[in-house]
């Protein structure tokens, strides 16, 4: 059964000339920026913000704060079922590379960072919605996220993944605005203060089925904690520069997408509840269509249902029932 799925990886540089492909989820952070009249200016500003953030964190032997720059690569994973010749856009992530202008080295960074998945859109925007339609109380299907989680773990453990990437992925997301986070006594020199949520979120449970655990850290010079999803040991499996590449990249996207939290004018305290209605924040002057993003998630979920879930339902259900890791 496990040989029924094959993966193909495609890479494209994310620079100021980037244009989303037809298979890219338009709700993806970088794809949203790369649209409309301001697309090139948006991308140029965002990439500059990432470089500035990186140099601010990698300050040692870097007196002018210009030693490093970050190159971003979009990694698209297409999945083929049963050698049908038809592929489905499975997931899309970002890979970071660090350019050291002092030594002229190009250092491999972390893969993951941003995470996009049509099947996740289906789960959250179609399946979950239909399950709760007409119900007086919100509930979650027992098998919610099972298929997506197994497909992700299968990919990460595949020969295709291992041929392209040396380390397991790290995915960095924003914190939930309906949870409260308590600062702990644990402090990492680069990841910063660790926070603990008051309860588990649906996103945490969903990513746990993907085999990922989560820790929350507020890096130095940041104003709110970020959620880091990972395999293994986040603090020891990755180098300083690798971690900084993820922090600088994903915090920049969050400042653009959720300025109320990540570009707030006040720093999160010991007890912190994110607030999307916070008026005391600064804008990045980068155009981002949040309303369109939420509407497109439903369309993308329907796309996954029509071209992946329904056509291959019997195969997927049989594989999911038999697959274990």
């Amino acid at each position: 059964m496990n040989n029924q799925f094959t993966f193909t990886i495609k890479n494209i540089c994310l620079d100021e000339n980037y244009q989303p492909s037809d298979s890219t989820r338009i709700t993806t952070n970088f794809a949203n920026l790369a649209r409309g009249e301001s697309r090139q200016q948006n991308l140029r500003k965002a990439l500059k913000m990432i470089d500035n953030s990186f140099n601010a964190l990698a300050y040692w032997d870097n007196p002018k704060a210009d030693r490093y720059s970050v190159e971003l690569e979009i990694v698209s994973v297409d999945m083929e079922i049963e050698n049908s010749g038809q592929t489905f856009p499975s997931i899309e992530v970002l890979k970071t590379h660090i350019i050291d202008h002092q030594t002229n080295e190009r250092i491999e960074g972390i893969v993951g960072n941003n995470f996009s998945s049509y099947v996740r859109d289906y789960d959250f925007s179609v399946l979950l919605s239909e399950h709760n339609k007409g119900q007086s109380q919100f509930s979650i299907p027992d098998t919610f996220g099972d298929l997506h989680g197994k497909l992700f773990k299968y990919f990460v453990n595949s020969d295709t993944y291992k041929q392209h990437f040396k380390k397991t992925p790290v995915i960095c997301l924003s914190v939930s605005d309906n949870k409260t986070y308590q600062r702990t006594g644990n402090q990492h020199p680069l990841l910063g203060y660790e926070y603990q949520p008051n309860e588990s979120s649906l996103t945490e449970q969903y990513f746990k089925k993907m085999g990922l655990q989560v820790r929350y850290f507020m890096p130095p010079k940041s104003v709110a904690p970020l959620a880091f999803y990972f395999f293994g040991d986040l603090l020891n499996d990755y180098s300083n520069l690798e971690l900084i590449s993820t922090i600088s990249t994903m915090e920049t996207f969050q400042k653009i997408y959720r300025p109320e939290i990540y570009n707030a004018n006040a720093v999160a305290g010991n007890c912190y509840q994110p607030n999307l209605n916070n008026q005391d924040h600064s804008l990045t002057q980068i155009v981002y269509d949040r309303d369109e993003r939420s509407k497109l998630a439903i369309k993308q979920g329907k796309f996954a249902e029509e071209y992946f879930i329904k056509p291959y339902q019997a195969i997927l259900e049989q594989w999911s029932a038999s697959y274990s890791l």
Side-chain angles (χ1 to χ4, degrees):
M1 286 293 294
N2 289 348
N3 293 326
Q4 287 182 304
F5 301 151
T6 56
F7 299 101
T8 303
I9 292 180
K10 296 182 292 187
N11 308 74
I12 184 173
C13 181
L14 175 55
D15 57 20
E16 63 182 53
N17 298 310
Y18 163 70
Q19 295 192 30
S21 69
D22 292 338
S23 62
T24 292
R25 288 169 69 253
I26 298 301
T27 56
T28 302
N29 286 320
F30 48 79
N32 193 301
L33 298 180
R35 304 173 70 206
E37 296 179 359
S38 303
R39 55 171 304 280
Q40 194 168 50
Q41 187 177 24
N42 281 345
L43 290 166
R44 188 181 298 126
K45 286 181 177 180
L47 295 169
K48 184 60 177 176
M49 285 175 64
I50 292 170
D51 287 348
N52 289 343
S53 175
F54 189 102
N55 282 291
L57 290 170
Y59 56 84
W60 58 93
D61 291 337
N62 190 7
K64 295 183 179 179
D66 62 356
R67 176 171 176 172
Y68 301 101
S69 59
V70 179
E71 287 185 359
L72 298 178
E73 188 177 17
I74 301 166
V75 178
S76 302
V77 183
D78 290 341
M79 186 170 72
E80 181 184 1
I81 299 178
E82 290 192 318
N83 298 316
S84 62
Q86 301 294 318
T87 60
F88 180 79
S90 175
I91 64 171
E92 198 164 58
V93 293
L94 282 179
K95 175 71 181 294
T96 60
H97 298 272
I98 303 116
I99 310 303
D100 186 337
H101 298 288
Q102 181 170 304
T103 63
N104 292 320
E105 287 182 280
R106 188 172 187 264
I107 304 163
E108 190 171 351
I110 286 178
V111 65
N113 301 289
N114 195 87
F115 179 77
S116 300
S117 164
Y118 278 106
V119 177
R120 183 175 66 164
D121 284 336
Y122 166 76
D123 283 340
F124 278 91
S125 299
V126 178
L127 180 62
L128 199 58
S129 176
E130 291 178 354
H131 176 78
N132 285 280
K133 191 177 293 182
Q135 302 297 316
S136 59
Q137 188 171 357
F138 180 83
S139 64
I140 302 167
D142 291 338
T143 58
F144 185 71
D146 284 1
L147 173 63
H148 183 269
K150 289 178 179 180
L151 287 172
F152 181 77
K153 287 188 285 187
Y154 181 63
F155 168 63
V156 172
N157 284 277
S158 69
D159 290 339
T160 304
Y161 184 93
K162 293 172 183 176
Q163 287 166 7
H164 285 81
F165 311 112
K166 297 177 181 177
K167 297 185 179 182
T168 54
V170 176
I171 297 165
C172 184
L173 305 180
S174 63
V175 287
S176 173
D177 62 321
N178 58 8
K179 301 289 183 290
T180 300
Y181 298 84
Q182 187 71 41
R183 184 184 295 180
T184 72
N186 189 36
Q187 184 181 11
H188 185 270
L190 293 173
L191 291 168
Y193 286 105
E194 185 166 17
Y195 280 74
Q196 291 283 355
N198 62 326
E199 59 181 335
S200 176
S201 67
L202 180 56
T203 299
E204 281 185 24
Q205 296 164 29
Y206 193 81
F207 275 73
K208 186 176 182 180
K209 291 191 174 184
M210 296 163 61
L212 296 162
Q213 53 187 311
V214 63
R215 295 179 75 171
Y216 298 87
F217 286 93
M218 184 170 73
K221 306 183 187 300
S222 300
V223 298
L226 291 159
F228 295 88
Y229 289 87
F230 59 96
F231 297 95
D233 186 343
L234 177 68
L235 274 60
N236 292 301
D237 289 348
Y238 303 92
S239 71
N240 289 341
L241 295 183
E242 286 174 333
L243 290 173
I244 293 173
S245 71
T246 287
I247 294 167
S248 58
T249 298
M250 295 314 299
E251 187 179 47
T252 293
F253 285 133
Q254 296 299 349
K255 284 181 177 180
I256 297 166
Y257 172 48
R258 286 192 162 173
E260 299 90 345
I261 297 175
Y262 291 98
N263 220 28
N265 295 325
V267 180
N270 290 330
C271 184
Y272 175 64
Q273 181 168 7
N275 181 10
L276 287 173
N277 295 313
N278 172 36
Q279 298 298 309
D280 186 23
H281 66 273
S282 302
L283 298 176
T284 60
Q285 298 182 337
I286 294 175
V287 180
Y288 194 101
D289 194 333
R290 292 199 291 188
D291 182 57
E292 183 186 45
R293 172 183 168 128
S294 61
K295 292 176 182 176
L296 282 171
I298 299 173
K299 292 183 179 179
Q300 292 166 175
K302 291 289 186 181
F303 172 85
E305 181 180 41
E306 180 179 355
Y307 292 99
F308 184 70
I309 300 296
K310 286 187 174 179
Y312 302 107
Q313 186 169 6
I315 295 172
L316 293 170
E317 287 178 354
Q318 185 182 4
W319 176 83
S320 183
S322 65
Y323 178 72
S324 62
L325 181 64

